[in-house]
């Protein structure tokens, strides 16, 4: 779910992986997300929460030679990323049914499939949450 310009946090996706970067016909992925809950104090419009994210994947591709004229990698060495999101920095009541929360987060890609240029391993994203009361 990485986008070079404007990106939004998507649960159960890879935040730093580019589209069509890896091909696999067999793979296993694990997505972990833990919300530590509200911090410090809450007001009607301010209710920050810290979320920890971790994602990893391993995979194989039986016939990579069938994919011609496309640059891609496979997941035999694994793909790993972690991140922190501060959500609900701005917390707005919406139609007295729920609330809309805005925040932001940062994710880091590491391991054997990280990029050689360090700044390319980072992804900065917006967080948008709608919660029903």
């Amino acid at each position: 779910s990485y986008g070079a310009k404007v990106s939004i946090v998507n649960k159960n996706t890879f935040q730093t992986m580019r589209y069509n970067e890896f091909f696999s016909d067999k793979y296993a992925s694990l997505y972990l997300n833990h919300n530590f809950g509200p911090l410090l104090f809450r007001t009607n419009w301010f209710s920050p929460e810290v979320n920890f994210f971790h994602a990893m994947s391993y995979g194989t591709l039986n016939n990579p030679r069938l994919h011609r004229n496309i640059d891609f990698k496979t997941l035999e060495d694994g793909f790993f990323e972690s991140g922190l999101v501060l959500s609900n920095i701005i917390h707005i009541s919406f139609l007295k049914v729920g609330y809309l929360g805005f925040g932001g987060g940062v994710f880091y890609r590491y391991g054997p499939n990280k990029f050689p240029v360090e700044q390319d391993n980072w992804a900065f994203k917006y967080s948008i949450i709608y919660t029903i009361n």
Side-chain angles (χ1 to χ4, degrees), residues 25 60-68 72:
D25 57 2
T60 61
L61 182 61
N62 283 338
N63 296 305
R65 66 186 176 283
L66 296 177
H67 301 280
R68 298 181 186 159
F72 67 90

Side-chain angles (χ1 to χ4, degrees), residues 3-129:
K5 295 182 181 176
V6 176
S7 288
I8 296 175
V9 174
N10 295 304
K11 288 185 180 180
N12 301 327
T13 66
F14 292 102
Q15 310 295 326
T16 62
M17 187 184 289
R18 279 48 173 181
Y19 293 109
N20 295 324
E21 184 178 357
F22 295 93
F23 284 9
S24 295
D25 57 2
K26 290 182 227 129
Y27 67 93
S29 297
L30 174 69
Y31 304 98
L32 300 173
N33 175 17
H34 180 71
N35 184 333
F36 290 95
L39 299 176
L40 303 173
F41 64 93
R42 299 174 77 161
T43 67
N44 289 339
W45 58 271
F46 182 75
S47 181
E49 297 178 3
V50 173
N51 296 275
F52 171 75
F53 286 80
H54 177 73
M56 59 190 289
S57 186
Y58 287 95
T60 61
L61 182 61
N62 283 338
N63 296 305
R65 66 186 176 283
L66 296 177
H67 301 280
R68 298 181 186 159
N69 302 321
I70 301 172
D71 291 330
F72 67 90
K73 298 178 254 180
T74 57
L75 291 167
E76 279 87 359
D77 295 330
F79 183 87
F80 309 93
E81 68 180 18
S82 295
L84 283 175
V85 174
L86 189 58
S87 59
N88 291 324
I89 296 172
I90 298 173
H91 174 97
I92 302 168
S93 179
F94 189 72
L95 299 175
K96 295 186 180 183
V97 176
Y99 70 87
L100 196 57
F102 298 95
V106 60
F107 296 86
Y108 182 71
R109 170 184 188 151
Y110 57 92
N113 281 304
K114 73 177 188 174
F115 291 119
V117 177
E118 189 62 31
Q119 70 185 32
D120 293 339
N121 294 307
W122 294 91
F124 299 92
K125 296 192 164 204
Y126 295 104
S127 169
I128 302 171
I129 298 170

